[in-house]
Coordinates of all heavy atoms in Angstrom, one line a residue:
M78 N 60.3 27.2 -231.4 CA 59.7 26.6 -230.3 C 59.9 25.1 -230.3 O 59.7 24.5 -231.4 CB 58.2 26.9 -230.3 CG 57.5 26.4 -229.2 SD 55.7 26.9 -229.1 CE 55.8 28.5 -228.3
T79 N 60.4 24.6 -229.2 CA 60.6 23.1 -229.1 C 59.4 22.3 -228.7 O 58.4 22.9 -228.2 CB 61.8 22.9 -228.2 OG1 61.3 23.2 -226.8 CG2 63.0 23.7 -228.5
R80 N 59.5 21.1 -228.8 CA 58.4 20.1 -228.3 C 58.2 20.4 -226.9 O 57.1 20.4 -226.4 CB 58.8 18.7 -228.6 CG 57.7 17.6 -228.2 CD 58.2 16.3 -228.7 NE 57.5 15.1 -228.4 CZ 56.4 14.9 -227.7 NH1 55.6 15.9 -227.4 NH2 55.9 13.7 -227.6
E81 N 59.3 20.5 -226.1 CA 59.2 20.7 -224.7 C 58.4 22.1 -224.4 O 57.7 22.2 -223.4 CB 60.6 20.8 -224.0 CG 61.2 19.3 -223.9 CD 61.6 18.8 -225.3 OE1 62.0 19.6 -226.2 OE2 61.6 17.6 -225.4
D82 N 58.7 23.1 -225.2 CA 58.0 24.3 -225.0 C 56.6 24.2 -225.2 O 55.8 24.8 -224.5 CB 58.6 25.5 -226.0 CG 60.0 25.8 -225.7 OD1 60.5 25.7 -224.5 OD2 60.7 26.3 -226.7
I83 N 56.2 23.4 -226.2 CA 54.8 23.2 -226.5 C 54.0 22.4 -225.3 O 53.0 22.8 -224.9 CB 54.6 22.5 -227.8 CG1 55.1 23.4 -229.0 CG2 53.2 22.1 -228.0 CD1 55.2 22.7 -230.3
I84 N 54.8 21.5 -224.8 CA 54.2 20.7 -223.7 C 54.0 21.6 -222.5 O 52.9 21.5 -221.9 CB 55.1 19.4 -223.3 CG1 55.1 18.4 -224.5 CG2 54.7 18.9 -222.0 CD1 56.1 17.3 -224.3
K85 N 54.8 22.6 -222.3 CA 54.7 23.4 -221.1 C 53.6 24.5 -221.3 O 53.1 25.0 -220.3 CB 56.0 24.2 -220.9 CG 57.1 23.3 -220.4 CD 58.4 24.2 -220.2 CE 59.6 23.3 -219.9 NZ 60.9 24.0 -220.0
L86 N 53.1 24.7 -222.5 CA 52.0 25.7 -222.7 C 50.8 25.1 -222.0 O 50.4 24.0 -222.1 CB 51.8 25.9 -224.1 CG 52.8 26.7 -224.9 CD1 52.5 26.6 -226.4 CD2 52.9 28.0 -224.4
P87 N 50.0 26.1 -221.3 CA 48.7 25.6 -220.8 C 47.7 25.3 -221.8 O 47.7 26.0 -222.9 CB 48.3 26.8 -219.9 CG 49.1 27.9 -220.3 CD 50.3 27.4 -221.0
K88 N 47.0 24.2 -221.6 CA 46.0 23.8 -222.7 C 44.6 23.5 -222.1 O 44.5 23.3 -220.9 CB 46.5 22.5 -223.3 CG 47.8 22.6 -224.0 CD 48.5 21.3 -224.3 CE 49.9 21.5 -224.6 NZ 50.7 21.8 -223.5
V89 N 43.7 23.6 -223.0 CA 42.3 23.3 -222.7 C 41.8 22.2 -223.5 O 42.0 22.2 -224.7 CB 41.4 24.6 -222.9 CG1 39.9 24.2 -222.7 CG2 41.8 25.7 -221.9
E90 N 41.2 21.2 -222.9 CA 40.7 20.0 -223.6 C 39.1 20.0 -223.6 O 38.6 19.7 -222.5 CB 41.2 18.7 -223.0 CG 40.8 17.4 -223.6 CD 41.4 17.2 -225.0 OE1 42.6 16.8 -225.1 OE2 40.7 17.3 -226.0
L91 N 38.5 20.4 -224.6 CA 37.1 20.6 -224.5 C 36.3 19.4 -225.0 O 35.0 19.4 -224.7 CB 36.6 21.8 -225.4 CG 37.1 23.2 -225.0 CD1 36.7 24.2 -226.0 CD2 36.6 23.4 -223.6
H92 N 36.9 18.4 -225.5 CA 36.1 17.2 -226.0 C 37.0 16.0 -225.9 O 37.8 15.7 -226.8 CB 35.6 17.4 -227.4 CG 34.7 16.4 -227.9 ND1 33.4 16.7 -228.1 CD2 34.8 15.1 -228.1 CE1 32.7 15.6 -228.4 NE2 33.6 14.6 -228.5
C93 N 36.9 15.3 -224.8 CA 37.7 14.2 -224.5 C 36.9 13.0 -224.0 O 36.0 13.2 -223.2 CB 38.7 14.6 -223.5 SG 39.7 13.3 -222.7
H94 N 37.1 11.8 -224.6 CA 36.3 10.6 -224.2 C 37.2 9.8 -223.3 O 38.3 9.4 -223.5 CB 36.0 9.8 -225.4 CG 35.0 10.4 -226.3 ND1 33.7 10.1 -226.4 CD2 35.1 11.5 -227.2 CE1 33.1 10.8 -227.3 NE2 33.9 11.7 -227.7
L95 N 36.5 9.5 -222.1 CA 37.3 8.7 -221.1 C 37.9 7.4 -221.6 O 39.1 7.2 -221.5 CB 36.4 8.5 -219.9 CG 37.0 7.7 -218.7 CD1 38.1 8.5 -218.0 CD2 36.0 7.2 -217.7
D96 N 37.1 6.7 -222.3 CA 37.6 5.4 -222.8 C 38.6 5.5 -224.0 O 39.5 4.7 -224.2 CB 36.4 4.5 -223.3 CG 35.5 5.2 -224.3 OD1 35.4 6.5 -224.2 OD2 34.8 4.5 -224.9
G97 N 38.6 6.7 -224.7 CA 39.5 6.9 -225.7 C 40.8 7.6 -225.3 O 41.6 7.9 -226.1
S98 N 40.9 7.9 -224.0 CA 42.0 8.7 -223.5 C 42.9 7.9 -222.5 O 43.8 8.5 -221.9 CB 41.5 9.9 -222.8 OG 40.7 10.7 -223.8
L99 N 42.6 6.6 -222.4 CA 43.4 5.9 -221.4 C 44.7 5.5 -221.9 O 44.9 5.2 -223.1 CB 42.6 4.6 -221.0 CG 41.2 4.8 -220.5 CD1 40.4 3.5 -220.4 CD2 41.3 5.4 -219.1
S100 N 45.7 5.4 -221.0 CA 47.1 5.1 -221.4 C 47.1 3.6 -221.6 O 46.3 2.8 -221.1 CB 48.1 5.4 -220.3 OG 47.9 4.6 -219.1
R101 N 48.0 3.2 -222.5 CA 48.2 1.7 -222.8 C 48.6 1.1 -221.5 O 48.2 -0.1 -221.3 CB 49.3 1.5 -223.9 CG 49.4 0.1 -224.3 CD 50.0 -0.1 -225.6 NE 51.5 0.0 -225.5 CZ 52.3 0.0 -226.5 NH1 51.8 -0.1 -227.7 NH2 53.6 0.1 -226.3
E102 N 49.4 1.7 -220.7 CA 49.8 1.1 -219.4 C 48.6 0.8 -218.6 O 48.5 -0.3 -217.9 CB 50.8 2.0 -218.7 CG 52.1 2.2 -219.3 CD 52.1 3.1 -220.6 OE1 51.1 4.0 -220.7 OE2 53.0 3.0 -221.4
F103 N 47.7 1.7 -218.5 CA 46.5 1.5 -217.7 C 45.7 0.3 -218.2 O 45.3 -0.6 -217.5 CB 45.6 2.7 -217.7 CG 44.3 2.5 -217.1 CD1 44.1 2.6 -215.7 CD2 43.1 2.3 -217.9 CE1 42.8 2.4 -215.1 CE2 41.9 2.0 -217.3 CZ 41.8 2.1 -215.9
V104 N 45.5 0.3 -219.5 CA 44.7 -0.9 -220.2 C 45.4 -2.2 -219.9 O 44.8 -3.2 -219.5 CB 44.5 -0.6 -221.7 CG1 43.9 -1.8 -222.4 CG2 43.7 0.7 -221.9
E105 N 46.7 -2.2 -220.0 CA 47.5 -3.5 -219.8 C 47.3 -3.9 -218.3 O 47.1 -5.0 -218.0 CB 48.9 -3.3 -220.1 CG 49.2 -3.1 -221.6 CD 50.6 -2.9 -222.0 OE1 51.5 -2.4 -221.1 OE2 51.1 -3.3 -223.1
K106 N 47.4 -2.9 -217.4 CA 47.3 -3.3 -216.0 C 45.9 -3.9 -215.7 O 45.7 -4.9 -215.0 CB 47.5 -2.0 -215.1 CG 47.4 -2.3 -213.6 CD 47.6 -1.0 -212.9 CE 47.2 -1.1 -211.4 NZ 47.0 0.1 -210.7
R107 N 44.8 -3.2 -216.2 CA 43.5 -3.7 -216.0 C 43.1 -5.0 -216.6 O 42.4 -5.8 -216.1 CB 42.5 -2.6 -216.5 CG 42.5 -1.3 -215.7 CD 41.9 -1.5 -214.3 NE 40.5 -2.0 -214.3 CZ 39.8 -2.4 -213.2 NH1 40.4 -2.4 -212.0 NH2 38.6 -2.8 -213.3
L108 N 43.7 -5.2 -217.8 CA 43.4 -6.5 -218.5 C 44.4 -7.6 -218.1 O 44.1 -8.8 -218.4 CB 43.5 -6.3 -220.0 CG 42.5 -5.3 -220.6 CD1 42.7 -5.1 -222.1 CD2 41.0 -5.7 -220.3
G109 N 45.5 -7.2 -217.4 CA 46.5 -8.2 -217.0 C 47.2 -8.9 -218.2 O 47.7 -10.0 -218.0
R110 N 47.4 -8.1 -219.2 CA 48.2 -8.6 -220.3 C 48.8 -7.4 -221.1 O 48.3 -6.3 -221.0 CB 47.4 -9.5 -221.2 CG 46.3 -8.7 -222.0 CD 45.7 -9.7 -223.1 NE 44.6 -9.0 -223.8 CZ 44.8 -8.4 -224.9 NH1 46.0 -8.2 -225.4 NH2 43.8 -7.8 -225.5
Q111 N 49.8 -7.8 -221.9 CA 50.3 -6.7 -222.8 C 49.3 -6.4 -223.9 O 48.6 -7.3 -224.4 CB 51.7 -7.1 -223.4 CG 52.7 -7.1 -222.3 CD 54.2 -7.2 -223.0 OE1 54.4 -7.9 -223.9 NE2 55.1 -6.4 -222.5
V112 N 49.3 -5.2 -224.3 CA 48.4 -4.7 -225.4 C 49.2 -4.0 -226.5 O 50.0 -3.1 -226.2 CB 47.3 -3.8 -224.8 CG1 46.4 -3.2 -225.9 CG2 46.4 -4.5 -223.7
G113 N 49.0 -4.5 -227.7 CA 49.7 -3.9 -228.8 C 49.1 -2.6 -229.2 O 47.9 -2.4 -229.0
K114 N 49.9 -1.7 -229.8 CA 49.4 -0.4 -230.2 C 48.3 -0.5 -231.1 O 47.3 0.3 -231.2 CB 50.6 0.4 -230.8 CG 50.3 1.8 -231.2 CD 51.5 2.5 -231.9 CE 50.9 3.9 -232.4 NZ 52.0 4.5 -233.2
E115 N 48.4 -1.5 -232.0 CA 47.3 -1.7 -233.1 C 46.0 -2.2 -232.4 O 45.0 -2.0 -233.1 CB 47.8 -2.7 -234.1 CG 47.9 -4.2 -233.6 CD 49.1 -4.5 -232.7 OE1 50.0 -3.6 -232.6 OE2 49.1 -5.6 -232.2
E116 N 46.0 -2.6 -231.2 CA 44.8 -3.0 -230.5 C 44.0 -1.7 -230.1 O 42.9 -1.7 -229.8 CB 45.0 -3.9 -229.4 CG 45.5 -5.2 -229.8 CD 45.7 -6.2 -228.6 OE1 44.7 -6.8 -228.1 OE2 46.8 -6.2 -228.0
L117 N 44.8 -0.6 -229.9 CA 44.2 0.6 -229.3 C 44.0 1.7 -230.3 O 43.3 2.7 -230.1 CB 45.0 1.1 -228.2 CG 45.1 0.2 -226.9 CD1 46.0 0.7 -225.9 CD2 43.7 -0.1 -226.3
S118 N 44.7 1.7 -231.5 CA 44.6 2.7 -232.4 C 44.6 2.2 -233.9 O 45.2 1.2 -234.1 CB 45.7 3.8 -232.2 OG 46.9 3.1 -232.3
V119 N 43.9 2.9 -234.7 CA 43.8 2.6 -236.1 C 45.1 3.1 -236.9 O 45.8 3.9 -236.3 CB 42.6 3.1 -236.8 CG1 41.3 2.5 -236.3 CG2 42.6 4.7 -236.7
S120 N 45.3 2.6 -238.0 CA 46.4 3.1 -238.9 C 46.1 4.5 -239.3 O 44.9 4.9 -239.4 CB 46.7 2.1 -240.0 OG 45.5 2.1 -240.8
D121 N 47.1 5.2 -239.8 CA 46.9 6.6 -240.2 C 46.0 6.7 -241.4 O 45.4 7.7 -241.7 CB 48.3 7.2 -240.6 CG 49.1 7.5 -239.4 OD1 48.5 7.6 -238.2 OD2 50.3 7.6 -239.5
D122 N 45.9 5.6 -242.3 CA 45.1 5.7 -243.4 C 43.7 5.1 -243.2 O 42.9 4.9 -244.2 CB 45.8 4.9 -244.6 CG 46.0 3.4 -244.3 OD1 45.8 3.1 -243.1 OD2 46.4 2.7 -245.2
C123 N 43.2 5.0 -241.9 CA 41.9 4.5 -241.7 C 40.8 5.4 -242.2 O 40.9 6.6 -241.9 CB 41.7 4.2 -240.2 SG 40.1 3.7 -239.7
T124 N 39.8 4.9 -242.9 CA 38.7 5.8 -243.3 C 37.4 5.3 -242.8 O 36.3 5.8 -243.3 CB 38.7 5.9 -244.9 OG1 38.6 4.6 -245.4 CG2 40.0 6.6 -245.4
S125 N 37.4 4.2 -242.0 CA 36.2 3.6 -241.5 C 35.8 4.0 -240.1 O 36.6 3.8 -239.2 CB 36.3 2.1 -241.6 OG 35.3 1.5 -240.9
L126 N 34.7 4.6 -240.0 CA 34.3 5.0 -238.6 C 34.1 3.7 -237.7 O 34.4 3.8 -236.5 CB 33.0 5.9 -238.6 CG 32.5 6.3 -237.2 CD1 33.5 7.1 -236.5 CD2 31.1 7.0 -237.4
A127 N 33.5 2.7 -238.3 CA 33.2 1.5 -237.6 C 34.5 0.9 -237.1 O 34.7 0.4 -236.0 CB 32.5 0.5 -238.5
E128 N 35.6 0.9 -238.0 CA 36.9 0.3 -237.5 C 37.5 1.3 -236.4 O 38.1 0.8 -235.5 CB 37.8 0.4 -238.7 CG 39.2 -0.2 -238.5 CD 40.1 -0.2 -239.7 OE1 39.6 -0.2 -240.8 OE2 41.3 -0.2 -239.4
Y129 N 37.3 2.5 -236.6 CA 37.8 3.4 -235.5 C 37.2 3.2 -234.2 O 37.8 3.1 -233.1 CB 37.6 4.9 -236.0 CG 38.0 5.9 -235.0 CD1 39.4 6.3 -234.9 CD2 37.2 6.6 -234.2 CE1 39.8 7.3 -234.0 CE2 37.5 7.5 -233.3 CZ 38.9 7.9 -233.2 OH 39.3 8.8 -232.3
L130 N 35.8 3.1 -234.2 CA 35.0 2.9 -233.0 C 35.3 1.5 -232.3 O 35.3 1.3 -231.1 CB 33.6 3.0 -233.2 CG 33.1 4.5 -233.6 CD1 31.7 4.5 -233.9 CD2 33.4 5.4 -232.5
E131 N 35.8 0.5 -233.1 CA 36.2 -0.8 -232.5 C 37.3 -0.6 -231.6 O 37.5 -1.4 -230.6 CB 36.6 -1.8 -233.7 CG 35.5 -2.4 -234.5 CD 36.0 -3.3 -235.6 OE1 37.2 -3.5 -235.6 OE2 35.1 -3.6 -236.4
K132 N 38.1 0.4 -231.8 CA 39.3 0.6 -230.9 C 38.9 1.1 -229.4 O 39.8 1.1 -228.6 CB 40.3 1.5 -231.5 CG 40.8 1.1 -232.8 CD 41.4 -0.2 -232.8 CE 41.9 -0.7 -234.2 NZ 42.5 -2.1 -234.2
F133 N 37.6 1.3 -229.3 CA 37.1 1.8 -228.0 C 36.7 0.5 -227.2 O 36.5 0.7 -225.9 CB 36.0 2.7 -228.0 CG 36.4 4.2 -228.5 CD1 36.8 4.5 -229.8 CD2 36.3 5.2 -227.6 CE1 37.2 5.7 -230.1 CE2 36.7 6.5 -227.9 CZ 37.1 6.7 -229.2
D134 N 36.6 -0.6 -227.8 CA 36.1 -1.8 -227.1 C 37.0 -2.2 -226.0 O 36.6 -2.5 -224.9 CB 35.9 -3.0 -228.1 CG 34.7 -2.8 -229.0 OD1 33.9 -1.8 -228.8 OD2 34.6 -3.4 -230.1
L135 N 38.2 -2.4 -226.3 CA 39.2 -2.8 -225.3 C 39.3 -1.9 -224.1 O 39.2 -2.3 -222.9 CB 40.6 -3.0 -226.0 CG 41.5 -4.1 -225.4 CD1 40.9 -5.4 -225.2 CD2 42.8 -4.1 -226.2
P136 N 39.5 -0.7 -224.3 CA 39.5 0.3 -223.1 C 38.2 0.2 -222.4 O 38.2 0.3 -221.1 CB 39.8 1.7 -223.8 CG 40.4 1.4 -225.0 CD 39.9 0.1 -225.5
G137 N 37.1 0.1 -223.1 CA 35.8 0.0 -222.4 C 35.7 -1.1 -221.5 O 35.0 -1.1 -220.4
Q138 N 36.5 -2.3 -221.8 CA 36.4 -3.4 -220.9 C 37.1 -3.1 -219.6 O 36.8 -3.8 -218.6 CB 37.2 -4.6 -221.5 CG 36.4 -5.1 -222.7 CD 37.2 -6.3 -223.4 OE1 38.1 -6.9 -222.8 NE2 37.0 -6.5 -224.7
C139 N 37.8 -2.0 -219.5 CA 38.5 -1.6 -218.3 C 37.6 -0.7 -217.4 O 38.1 -0.4 -216.2 CB 39.8 -0.9 -218.6 SG 40.9 -1.7 -219.7
L140 N 36.5 -0.4 -217.8 CA 35.6 0.6 -217.1 C 34.3 0.0 -216.6 O 33.3 0.7 -216.5 CB 35.3 1.7 -218.1 CG 36.6 2.4 -218.7 CD1 36.2 3.5 -219.7 CD2 37.4 3.0 -217.6
R141 N 34.3 -1.3 -216.4 CA 33.1 -1.9 -216.0 C 32.8 -2.1 -214.5 O 31.8 -2.7 -214.1 CB 33.0 -3.3 -216.7 CG 32.9 -3.1 -218.2 CD 32.7 -4.5 -218.9 NE 32.6 -4.3 -220.3 CZ 32.8 -5.2 -221.2 NH1 33.2 -6.4 -220.8 NH2 32.6 -5.0 -222.5
D142 N 33.7 -1.6 -213.7 CA 33.5 -1.6 -212.2 C 34.0 -0.3 -211.6 O 34.7 0.6 -212.3 CB 34.1 -2.8 -211.6 CG 35.6 -2.9 -211.8 OD1 36.3 -1.9 -212.0 OD2 36.2 -4.0 -211.7
E143 N 33.6 -0.1 -210.4 CA 34.0 1.1 -209.7 C 35.5 1.3 -209.6 O 35.9 2.5 -209.9 CB 33.5 1.1 -208.3 CG 33.6 2.3 -207.5 CD 33.0 2.2 -206.1 OE1 32.0 1.5 -205.9 OE2 33.3 3.1 -205.2
E144 N 36.2 0.3 -209.3 CA 37.7 0.5 -209.3 C 38.2 0.9 -210.7 O 39.1 1.8 -210.7 CB 38.3 -0.8 -208.9 CG 39.9 -0.7 -208.8 CD 40.4 -2.1 -208.4 OE1 39.7 -3.0 -207.9 OE2 41.7 -2.3 -208.6
G145 N 37.8 0.3 -211.7 CA 38.3 0.7 -213.1 C 37.9 2.1 -213.4 O 38.8 2.8 -214.0
L146 N 36.8 2.6 -213.1 CA 36.4 3.9 -213.3 C 37.2 4.9 -212.6 O 37.7 5.9 -213.1 CB 34.9 4.1 -213.0 CG 33.9 3.5 -214.0 CD1 32.5 3.5 -213.5 CD2 33.9 4.3 -215.4
E147 N 37.4 4.6 -211.3 CA 38.2 5.5 -210.5 C 39.6 5.6 -211.0 O 40.2 6.7 -211.1 CB 38.2 5.1 -209.0 CG 39.0 6.0 -208.1 CD 38.8 5.6 -206.6 OE1 38.1 4.7 -206.3 OE2 39.5 6.3 -205.8
E148 N 40.2 4.5 -211.3 CA 41.6 4.4 -211.8 C 41.7 5.1 -213.1 O 42.7 5.8 -213.4 CB 42.1 3.0 -211.8 CG 42.4 2.4 -210.4 CD 43.0 1.0 -210.5 OE1 43.4 0.6 -211.5 OE2 43.0 0.4 -209.4
A149 N 40.7 4.9 -213.9 CA 40.7 5.5 -215.3 C 40.7 7.1 -215.1 O 41.4 7.7 -215.9 CB 39.5 5.1 -216.1
G150 N 40.0 7.6 -214.2 CA 39.9 9.1 -214.0 C 41.3 9.5 -213.7 O 41.8 10.5 -214.3
Y151 N 42.0 8.9 -212.7 CA 43.3 9.3 -212.3 C 44.3 9.2 -213.6 O 45.1 10.0 -213.7 CB 43.8 8.5 -211.1 CG 43.2 9.0 -209.8 CD1 42.3 8.2 -209.1 CD2 43.5 10.2 -209.3 CE1 41.7 8.7 -208.0 CE2 43.0 10.7 -208.2 CZ 42.1 10.0 -207.5 OH 41.5 10.4 -206.3
D152 N 44.1 8.1 -214.3 CA 45.0 7.9 -215.4 C 45.0 9.0 -216.4 O 46.0 9.5 -216.8 CB 44.7 6.5 -216.1 CG 45.6 6.2 -217.2 OD1 46.8 6.0 -217.0 OD2 45.1 6.2 -218.4
V153 N 43.8 9.4 -216.8 CA 43.6 10.4 -217.8 C 44.1 11.7 -217.2 O 44.8 12.5 -217.9 CB 42.1 10.5 -218.2 CG1 41.8 11.7 -219.0 CG2 41.7 9.3 -219.0
L154 N 43.7 12.1 -215.9 CA 44.2 13.3 -215.3 C 45.7 13.4 -215.2 O 46.3 14.4 -215.5 CB 43.5 13.5 -213.9 CG 42.0 13.8 -214.0 CD1 41.5 13.8 -212.6 CD2 41.7 15.0 -214.8
R155 N 46.4 12.2 -214.9 CA 47.8 12.1 -214.9 C 48.4 12.6 -216.2 O 49.4 13.3 -216.3 CB 48.2 10.8 -214.4 CG 49.6 10.7 -213.9 CD 49.9 9.2 -213.3 NE 49.0 8.8 -212.3 CZ 48.1 7.9 -212.3 NH1 48.0 7.1 -213.4 NH2 47.3 7.5 -211.3
S156 N 47.8 11.9 -217.2 CA 48.3 12.2 -218.6 C 48.2 13.7 -219.0 O 49.0 14.3 -219.5 CB 47.6 11.4 -219.6 OG 47.8 10.0 -219.4
M157 N 47.0 14.2 -218.6 CA 46.8 15.6 -218.9 C 47.7 16.5 -218.1 O 48.2 17.6 -218.7 CB 45.3 16.0 -218.5 CG 44.3 15.4 -219.5 SD 42.6 15.9 -219.1 CE 41.8 15.2 -220.5
K158 N 48.0 16.2 -216.9 CA 48.9 17.0 -216.1 C 50.3 17.1 -216.8 O 51.0 18.1 -216.8 CB 49.1 16.5 -214.7 CG 50.0 17.3 -213.8 CD 49.9 16.9 -212.3 CE 50.8 17.6 -211.4 NZ 50.9 19.1 -211.6
Q159 N 50.7 15.9 -217.3 CA 52.0 15.9 -218.0 C 52.1 16.8 -219.2 O 53.2 17.2 -219.6 CB 52.3 14.4 -218.4 CG 52.6 13.5 -217.2 CD 52.7 12.0 -217.6 OE1 52.5 11.6 -218.8 NE2 53.1 11.2 -216.7
E160 N 50.9 17.1 -219.8 CA 50.8 18.0 -221.0 C 50.3 19.4 -220.6 O 50.0 20.2 -221.5 CB 50.0 17.3 -222.0 CG 50.5 16.1 -222.5 CD 49.7 15.4 -223.6 OE1 48.8 16.1 -224.2 OE2 49.9 14.2 -223.9
N161 N 50.2 19.6 -219.3 CA 49.8 20.9 -218.8 C 48.5 21.3 -219.2 O 48.2 22.5 -219.6 CB 50.9 22.0 -219.1 CG 50.7 23.2 -218.1 OD1 50.1 23.0 -217.1 ND2 51.2 24.3 -218.5
V162 N 47.5 20.3 -219.3 CA 46.1 20.6 -219.5 C 45.6 21.2 -218.2 O 45.6 20.6 -217.2 CB 45.3 19.3 -219.9 CG1 43.9 19.7 -220.1 CG2 45.9 18.8 -221.2
I163 N 45.0 22.5 -218.3 CA 44.5 23.1 -217.1 C 43.0 23.1 -217.0 O 42.5 23.4 -215.9 CB 45.0 24.6 -217.1 CG1 44.5 25.3 -218.3 CG2 46.5 24.6 -216.9 CD1 44.8 26.8 -218.3
Y164 N 42.4 22.7 -218.1 CA 40.9 22.5 -217.9 C 40.5 21.4 -219.0 O 41.1 21.4 -220.1 CB 40.2 23.8 -218.3 CG 38.7 23.7 -218.4 CD1 38.0 23.9 -217.2 CD2 38.0 23.5 -219.6 CE1 36.6 23.8 -217.3 CE2 36.6 23.3 -219.6 CZ 35.9 23.5 -218.4 OH 34.6 23.4 -218.5
S165 N 39.5 20.6 -218.6 CA 39.1 19.5 -219.4 C 37.6 19.2 -219.2 O 37.2 19.2 -218.1 CB 40.0 18.2 -219.1 OG 39.6 17.2 -220.0
E166 N 37.0 18.8 -220.3 CA 35.7 18.3 -220.2 C 35.7 16.9 -220.8 O 35.9 16.6 -221.9 CB 34.7 19.2 -221.1 CG 34.6 20.5 -220.5 CD 33.6 21.4 -221.3 OE1 32.9 20.9 -222.2 OE2 33.5 22.6 -221.0
I167 N 35.6 15.9 -219.8 CA 35.8 14.5 -220.1 C 34.4 13.9 -220.2 O 33.6 14.0 -219.3 CB 36.6 13.8 -219.0 CG1 38.0 14.5 -218.8 CG2 36.8 12.3 -219.3 CD1 38.8 13.9 -217.7
R168 N 34.2 13.2 -221.4 CA 32.9 12.6 -221.6 C 32.9 11.1 -221.2 O 33.9 10.5 -221.3 CB 32.5 12.7 -223.1 CG 32.2 14.1 -223.4 CD 32.6 14.5 -224.9 NE 32.8 15.9 -225.0 CZ 31.8 16.8 -225.2 NH1 30.5 16.3 -225.2 NH2 32.0 18.1 -225.2
F169 N 31.7 10.6 -220.9 CA 31.6 9.3 -220.4 C 30.2 8.8 -220.7 O 29.3 9.4 -220.4 CB 31.9 9.3 -218.8 CG 31.7 8.0 -218.2 CD1 32.3 6.8 -218.6 CD2 30.8 7.9 -217.1 CE1 32.1 5.6 -218.0 CE2 30.6 6.7 -216.4 CZ 31.3 5.6 -216.9
A170 N 30.1 7.6 -221.3 CA 28.8 7.0 -221.6 C 28.6 5.6 -221.0 O 29.0 4.6 -221.6 CB 28.7 6.9 -223.2
P171 N 28.2 5.6 -219.7 CA 28.0 4.4 -219.0 C 27.4 3.2 -219.8 O 27.9 2.1 -219.7 CB 27.3 4.7 -217.8 CG 27.6 6.1 -217.6 CD 27.7 6.8 -219.0
P172 N 26.3 3.4 -220.5 CA 25.7 2.3 -221.2 C 26.6 1.5 -222.2 O 26.4 0.4 -222.4 CB 24.4 2.9 -221.9 CG 24.2 4.2 -221.2 CD 25.6 4.7 -220.7
S173 N 27.6 2.2 -222.7 CA 28.5 1.7 -223.7 C 29.5 0.7 -223.0 O 30.2 0.0 -223.7 CB 29.2 2.6 -224.6 OG 30.1 3.4 -223.8
F174 N 29.6 0.6 -221.7 CA 30.6 -0.2 -221.0 C 30.0 -1.5 -220.5 O 30.7 -2.2 -219.8 CB 31.2 0.5 -219.9 CG 31.9 1.8 -220.4 CD1 31.7 3.0 -219.8 CD2 32.9 1.7 -221.5 CE1 32.3 4.2 -220.3 CE2 33.4 2.9 -222.0 CZ 33.2 4.1 -221.4
R175 N 28.7 -1.7 -220.7 CA 28.1 -3.0 -220.2 C 28.7 -4.2 -221.0 O 29.2 -4.0 -222.0 CB 26.6 -2.9 -220.4 CG 25.9 -2.0 -219.5 CD 24.4 -2.0 -219.8 NE 24.2 -1.6 -221.1 CZ 23.1 -1.2 -221.7 NH1 22.0 -1.4 -221.0 NH2 23.1 -0.8 -222.9
D176 N 28.6 -5.3 -220.4 CA 29.0 -6.5 -221.0 C 28.2 -6.7 -222.3 O 27.0 -6.4 -222.3 CB 28.8 -7.8 -220.1 CG 29.9 -7.8 -219.1 OD1 31.0 -7.4 -219.4 OD2 29.5 -8.2 -218.0
R177 N 28.8 -7.1 -223.4 CA 28.0 -7.4 -224.6 C 27.9 -8.9 -224.9 O 28.7 -9.6 -224.5 CB 28.7 -6.6 -225.7 CG 28.6 -5.1 -225.6 CD 29.3 -4.4 -226.7 NE 29.6 -3.1 -226.2 CZ 30.4 -2.3 -226.8 NH1 31.1 -2.7 -227.9 NH2 30.6 -1.1 -226.3
Ligands
LIG685 ZN1 33.1 12.9 -229.1

């Protein structure tokens, strides 16, 4: 089975966080600057939940207004379509996106 075969298989995403599923392109567009991969994801040897959760801060900054939320929804659904996700439960915690 090839990678392409796997991508074509229908999938179900039962636990997905909106802020943790945004594309780097979306975050860059919303922030108006380039974003390094290390700003959005931890290294493979990360063992700290606090460090992991810090990576949600930047995407969260993109979700503080109606336009950001609407575009985020489309961004995530676009990515899911590319992987043939046919059902998804996307979680969203509005209080966590307020200015800090
Ligand atoms: Zn969760």
